[in-house]
Amino acid sequence: MGHAHVEGSNYLNHEKGLWSWLTTLDHKRIGILYFISVMFFFLIGGLFALLIRLELMEPGQQYISADFYNQVMTLHGSIMVFMVIIPGIPAFLGNFFLPIMIGAKDVAFPKLNLLSWYCLICGAGIAVSALFAGGIDTGWTFYTPYSIKTSTAVIVFVLGAFVMGFSSILTGLNFIATTHKLRAPGMTMNRMPLFVWALYSTAIIQVLATPVLAITLLLLVAERALGIGFFDASLGGDPVLFQHFFWFYSHPAVYIMILPALGVISELIAAFSRKTIFGYTAIAYSSVAIAAVSFFVWGHHMFVSGQSELAGAIFSGITMLVGVPTAIKLFNWVATMYKGSIRLDSPMLYAIGFMFLFTIGGVTGVMLATMAIDVHLHDTYFVVAHFHYVMVGGTLMAIMGGIYYWFPKMFGYMYSETLARLSWVFIFMGFNITFFPQFILGTQGMPRRYHDYIPEYAWLNKVSTFGSWFIFAGFVIGLISIILAFRKKEKAPMNPWGAKTLEWTIQSPPIHDNFEKIPTVNGGPYEYR
Amino acid sequence: MLHMFAFAQSYMPIQGSTFAKGVDSLFDFTIWASIISFVILIGGLVIFVVKYQRRSDNDKTAYITHNVFLEFLWSFIPLCIFMGIFVWGYVLYKDMRQFPDNAIEVNVMGYQWGWTMTYSNGKQSGNELVVPVGKPVVLTMTSKDVIHSFYVPSFRIKQDAVPGKRSKLWFQSDRLGDYEMFCTEYCGTAHSKMIGKVRVVTQAEFNEFLAKDKSKMTLAELGQEAFNVKGCVACHSVDGTVKVGPSFKGLWGSTVNHSDGTTAVFDENYARTSILNPQEKFVAGFANVIMPTYQGQVSEEEITHLIEYIKSLK
Ligand SMILES: [Cu+2]
Ligand SMILES: [Cu+2]
């Protein structure tokens, strides 16, 4: 692009004004656009979560009616899945750092990159407009025939999710092309940081699986609008077919949500142990393995749906296999810390919190994959607790760790370490107080998506609600730490953590072109010697 | 040896069916396997964090890239454990899907928001499944509207009831008592109110239940049965609590306020219109509740029974 580099110039002040942001093709700025939008959606989804917990604090109706509760529960789920966790790490942290980590100036298709952000915003806008057309009460899974029979605005909402899907597909496409085509000289695939490997595996799933969701949602719209009868038994359709279609996307989507988080954790563990990662190849390829296997496990959501025993057994067996690469990663991270030089800065605290919670999420996942146990636990609060341990305990902890890790690089400022650690204490404690009781509620049989429950479940629900306030406090403290960092303007050095990946060799915040001169790479990403 | 560790009973529901014990043993095993893995992983992590704290910024660390033997161990051992759990889970699951021949058969119909049970002699009951102790029972299930899921936590069984399909489920309970029955597939407004009971009774009580002679019942008793079987119970209470629709308690002869400001006295004809043509007028406070019409689903006779039942709810 040939801009002469001016002292003090960076991507933030390279151009000025709102318009320059809305039309930017700079991957870093697009990353920031995602950051702001995802934070905003997270705030909304989080407020809905608090409302859910508030209503469930006592048995019986507290503040909101059953119909309103069902809408809140649907919105919480779909906002968090489609607008926060799926775009969270790849489109925000990934956009910002994937090109830099492989020594590139930008992604392969900058215009497509901007388009993907607009897809997310438009899709979100359409989805939210459903609120003014009667809302939506199907749960984020849109199961038929309920989604066909309900009087709420399913079509509008589903079209929103459809458009958001394109955001995910385009980002994935961009990352695959970027990873293959734009690596700096000497940056072989086997020298890529593990975060890049994770994003790459995620991108493959995004490109292959998301179109299936798009088709499924269109079929649902066609069924509702035209009464075609793909899923309607009285017209010769099959309601369970929808579940097959839906989970064919949505199980891989679980890995769209968690793989990037695993990548972030690999970076954090290596950087804060000052040690080369243990089992680089195993971690890198286990991401790809998880991505590949994830396409063949969807039926584990349907052990009690009337699916044949043989199909159930196959899905159960393959699901167990996912546990192996996951276990490999966890053990390799712990092995990385062996004989390291470990510092518990806030990003590392989040990484450790991640491992703690993700391990619980993982082992409970194995329980749910076990057919006879799943018959008892399916659609109970045990499942709710399990996927929150993976999605919130896992992905959200990784996002927080990633934000604190890369914040000095992204914005050039340091934040208050005390506040950052305090946010961790509240989120980590609060998370366990909120969700651990839900495992017990689930084993006791409390079904999910419940507006009310029998008195036996009361005290654990109360504890869970208290916990949700701790989590809220934790995120507020986190937000304050970031706002204060912008106000105090304490300059960050180029490499505050002494990390070895390429983004730490350039100025904070980076210049518009990332590198003064494209680097030549002649070693692995974690050369701590 | 596993019995030593068996502690599922401390938090799982009562073991009400013959499946429960097996499921709980497996559950206990997975819990212990989980706790041990957790302790190894997180214990290792904590030890390393303490032991290898950064002393100075110039710390040198060991350069260990991998170790084939260790990596093989922590791939292979988990794989074996996972496969063991998988097979064990499958074997137990298979039992749940092997339907005995000598079983008592009950047809179960799910609807928004309740269950109707029909026994082979035509006897019906609503939201209450009565079965004899020590006998296998096969449920053949379907749904009238959306997907529901039949779940009895104490029996460790669950099966979706899908419209347009018949699904099956079996169990045997060797323990007399009442057990909670939930719907676990989200089905709309009163999903969390779709709670019923399974009553495990002696063979004699069961026979008596099945044989209950309709000709000996009063009109109000027949009405109560229709109230349960036809699903009125899903939305209307008889004790004054407000569910999806207004309560029936004290309704008879009272003056009903409508959402459009008009009023009417609740009498025979009012009751009949409300059942057959519920959209005609809405009771104040319930204007956005769409009650389905029961045209063609209840006979004039049954309406008489229902009216007598409502009369009895003072
Ligand atoms: Cu899944
Ligand atoms: Cu239900």
Side-chain angles (χ1 to χ4, degrees):
Chain A
M1 298 220 173
H3 299 287
H5 178 52
V6 190
E7 198 52 46
S9 140
N10 60 50
Y11 79 99
L12 290 167
N13 59 22
H14 177 74
E15 280 179 293
K16 288 206 165 64
L18 182 65
W19 186 245
S20 77
W21 279 89
L22 293 177
T23 57
T24 183
L25 299 180
D26 182 345
H27 68 100
K28 300 181 286 302
R29 285 183 159 219
I30 295 174
I32 302 301
L33 289 177
Y34 270 109
F35 180 32
I36 296 165
S37 12
V38 166
M39 287 240 294
F40 176 71
F41 297 141
F42 179 66
L43 175 74
I44 300 182
L47 290 177
F48 283 135
L50 287 173
L51 188 55
I52 290 176
R53 281 314 327 160
L54 215 53
E55 173 56 38
L56 292 177
M57 193 166 165
E58 313 258 351
Q61 180 168 324
Q62 313 304 310
Y63 306 100
I64 54 178
S65 71
D67 282 324
F68 191 64
Y69 175 87
N70 291 340
Q71 299 219 358
V72 170
M73 151 299 261
T74 304
L75 287 166
H76 164 68
S78 33
I79 288 176
M80 287 304 199
V81 169
F82 295 115
M83 307 184 200
V84 178
I85 298 186
I86 288 182
I89 296 183
F92 155 41
L93 292 172
N95 243 323
F96 201 109
F97 288 105
L98 178 126
I100 304 181
M101 285 176 132
I102 58 171
K105 281 184 176 174
D106 208 313
V107 293
F109 311 112
K111 285 180 184 154
L112 219 53
N113 201 12
L114 183 63
L115 179 64
S116 81
W117 181 71
Y118 278 104
C119 282
L120 177 74
I121 297 303
C122 290
I126 297 172
V128 170
S129 71
L131 290 189
F132 306 99
I136 174 149
D137 73 340
T138 59
W140 80 278
T141 47
F142 312 116
Y143 270 20
T144 56
Y146 187 79
S147 55
I148 294 164
K149 299 208 160 149
T150 173
S151 58
T152 52
V154 176
I155 293 185
V156 183
F157 194 87
V158 156
L159 285 178
F162 177 81
V163 175
M164 284 188 275
F166 280 94
S167 164
S168 192
I169 296 173
L170 294 180
T171 302
L173 202 66
N174 226 331
F175 284 3
I176 294 177
T178 308
T179 308
H180 277 294
K181 286 296 175 195
L182 297 186
R183 277 174 285 126
M187 174 62 78
T188 59
M189 290 289 269
N190 288 326
R191 286 176 178 168
M192 295 193 311
L194 289 166
F195 183 46
V196 177
W197 269 105
L199 289 170
Y200 177 74
S201 317
T202 309
I204 294 173
I205 313 181
Q206 285 176 302
V207 170
L208 291 181
T210 317
V212 179
L213 176 73
I215 295 164
T216 311
L217 295 180
L218 280 190
L219 289 179
L220 179 60
V221 170
E223 174 112 11
R224 237 187 111 94
L226 312 169
I228 292 190
F230 302 108
F231 310 121
D232 184 347
S234 56
L235 296 172
D238 182 352
V240 181
L241 181 65
F242 179 86
Q243 298 178 23
H244 281 288
F245 284 167
F246 182 82
W247 290 113
F248 186 83
Y249 162 76
S250 291
H251 188 82
V254 170
Y255 297 105
I256 295 179
M257 302 182 225
I258 194 68
L259 276 177
L262 302 176
V264 171
I265 299 304
S266 296
E267 300 300 327
L268 299 183
I269 301 272
F272 289 92
S273 306
R274 289 260 171 96
K275 190 154 164 290
T276 194
I277 200 97
F278 183 95
Y280 171 90
T281 325
I283 296 184
Y285 287 103
S286 65
S287 289
V288 183
I290 292 176
V293 178
S294 74
F295 282 96
F296 305 99
V297 298
W298 78 89
H300 63 209
H301 297 265
M302 300 164 61
F303 291 148
V304 300
S305 70
Q307 169 179 270
S308 81
E309 285 100 81
L310 178 66
I314 292 171
F315 285 123
S316 168
I318 301 179
T319 304
M320 294 290 179
L321 295 182
V322 181
V324 176
T326 314
I328 291 177
K329 281 179 192 276
L330 284 164
F331 280 112
N332 282 359
W333 289 328
V334 174
T336 302
M337 295 165 76
Y338 172 69
K339 288 198 172 171
S341 163
I342 301 170
R343 251 185 74 161
L344 291 183
D345 292 310
S346 46
M348 185 62 163
L349 280 182
Y350 273 103
I352 289 174
F354 171 97
M355 288 177 65
F356 186 98
L357 303 176
F358 184 70
T359 305
I360 298 179
V363 294
T364 49
V366 173
M367 291 183 187
L368 288 170
T370 310
M371 302 176 86
I373 298 181
D374 185 65
V375 170
H376 177 53
L377 296 179
H378 179 74
D379 272 344
T380 66
Y381 258 82
F382 193 92
V383 177
V384 176
H386 158 70
F387 69 71
H388 280 89
Y389 263 82
V390 177
M391 302 283 92
V392 185
T395 308
L396 238 93
M397 294 295 271
I399 293 187
M400 291 298 287
I403 290 177
Y404 281 128
Y405 178 56
W406 281 303
F407 186 86
K409 182 56 63 186
M410 289 189 286
F411 301 105
Y413 301 130
M414 291 308 287
Y415 49 83
S416 152
E417 179 62 19
T418 319
L419 283 180
R421 288 186 191 187
L422 200 62
S423 78
W424 178 81
V425 171
F426 273 88
I427 294 175
F428 183 75
M429 301 294 287
F431 180 84
N432 285 299
I433 300 172
T434 308
F435 292 103
F436 203 84
Q438 297 185 3
F439 279 125
I440 305 172
L441 284 170
T443 51
Q444 291 177 346
M446 178 174 165
R448 65 191 284 204
R449 296 176 167 173
Y450 248 33
H451 167 252
D452 185 11
Y453 46 82
I454 56 173
E456 283 88 323
Y457 301 142
W459 77 272
L460 284 168
N461 270 293
K462 196 165 214 164
V463 173
S464 182
T465 301
F466 285 140
S468 70
W469 302 337
F470 280 88
I471 305 181
F472 177 68
F475 279 111
V476 170
I477 296 170
L479 186 66
I480 293 174
S481 76
I482 285 175
I483 294 172
L484 283 184
F486 282 117
R487 297 191 58 179
K488 286 204 178 132
K489 298 188 191 309
E490 185 194 334
K491 286 257 175 300
M494 195 161 89
N495 190 357
W497 319 116
K500 298 283 183 188
T501 37
L502 282 179
E503 76 271 29
W504 303 108
T505 63
I506 59 174
Q507 159 193 316
S508 306
I511 56 169
H512 175 72
D513 285 341
N514 298 345
F515 300 92
E516 302 270 351
K517 187 170 151 284
I518 291 297
T520 303
V521 180
N522 41 33
Y526 310 108
E527 293 293 318
Y528 297 92
R529 300 207 196 223
Chain B
M1 189 195 87
L2 280 168
H3 293 284
M4 229 163 64
F5 301 111
F7 72 145
Q9 269 304 285
S10 59
Y11 50 83
M12 290 280 244
I14 286 165
Q15 296 180 336
S17 79
T18 50
F19 298 132
K21 228 188 169 108
V23 172
D24 289 2
S25 308
L26 176 52
F27 191 81
D28 272 336
F29 176 79
T30 56
I31 290 256
W32 281 107
S34 300
I35 291 175
I36 292 168
S37 337
F38 184 84
V39 167
I40 293 174
L41 259 167
I42 303 303
L45 184 149
V46 171
I47 291 171
F48 293 165
V49 165
V50 174
K51 197 164 169 202
Y52 302 114
Q53 264 181 64
R54 188 168 304 171
R55 316 262 169 220
S56 86
D57 247 4
N58 310 318
D59 279 0
K60 281 269 165 277
T61 58
Y63 190 79
I64 312 168
T65 57
H66 64 287
N67 179 319
V68 177
F69 178 67
L70 276 178
E71 288 180 81
F72 171 76
L73 274 192
W74 63 55
S75 322
F76 188 70
I77 296 176
L79 179 69
C80 294
I81 299 174
F82 294 154
M83 283 304 124
I85 293 175
F86 157 65
V87 172
W88 190 347
Y90 176 68
V91 170
L92 289 175
Y93 177 78
K94 224 158 166 204
D95 283 347
M96 299 179 181
R97 307 304 305 168
Q98 220 90 60
F99 297 94
D101 300 326
N102 56 341
I104 291 162
E105 290 187 34
V106 185
N107 284 289
V108 177
M109 169 74 88
Y111 60 88
Q112 284 169 318
W113 293 276
W115 304 95
T116 308
M117 325 292 170
T118 311
Y119 298 81
S120 46
N121 69 347
K123 165 87 185 172
Q124 288 194 317
S125 67
N127 281 347
E128 191 176 73
L129 176 66
V130 182
V131 298
V133 71
K135 285 265 172 63
V137 179
V138 173
L139 306 182
T140 306
M141 301 191 292
T142 188
S143 164
K144 220 183 225 173
D145 35 53
V146 300
I147 302 178
H148 303 278
S149 197
F150 181 95
Y151 176 39
V152 184
S154 295
F155 292 180
R156 316 283 187 270
I157 52 162
K158 181 181 291 135
Q159 183 70 39
D160 286 2
V162 183
K165 287 192 168 190
R166 304 283 144 147
S167 49
K168 279 168 100 180
L169 178 66
W170 87 273
F171 63 88
Q172 175 176 330
S173 177
D174 292 341
R175 188 180 172 282
L176 291 170
D178 287 2
Y179 302 94
E180 220 83 50
M181 174 179 107
F182 297 129
C183 169
T184 43
E185 186 60 68
Y186 170 71
C187 56
T189 311
H191 167 56
S192 60
K193 297 267 173 17
M194 201 168 149
I195 300 179
K197 278 242 164 340
V198 180
R199 283 181 50 216
V200 180
V201 299
T202 60
Q203 184 68 45
E205 282 174 288
F206 180 67
N207 292 344
E208 190 191 339
F209 163 82
L210 270 190
K212 198 154 199 188
D213 192 351
K214 286 203 177 189
S215 65
K216 294 214 180 92
M217 287 162 80
T218 66
L219 288 182
E221 279 170 352
L222 287 167
Q224 181 174 21
E225 195 181 271
F227 174 81
N228 285 318
V229 171
K230 296 291 172 184
C232 318
V233 61
C235 302
H236 302 280
S237 80
V238 294
D239 60 0
T241 53
V242 176
K243 289 166 108 178
V244 178
S247 174
F248 284 177
K249 187 186 162 89
L251 194 55
W252 188 259
S254 68
T255 307
V256 183
N257 298 311
H258 294 140
S259 56
D260 59 5
T262 58
T263 58
V265 172
F266 193 97
D267 59 8
E268 279 89 349
N269 278 312
Y270 188 96
R272 187 176 176 279
T273 319
S274 303
I275 295 168
L276 298 179
N277 198 1
Q279 247 74 268
E280 202 174 279
K281 289 266 193 240
F282 293 103
V283 175
F286 298 91
N288 50 2
V289 180
I290 313 280
M291 170 174 161
T293 169
Y294 280 78
Q295 202 107 44
Q297 296 185 41
V298 287
S299 63
E300 285 297 338
E301 241 183 332
E302 283 165 330
I303 292 177
T304 312
H305 301 157
L306 282 167
I307 289 172
E308 289 304 318
Y309 179 52
I310 295 171
K311 272 188 195 169
S312 74
L313 299 167
K314 295 281 154 46

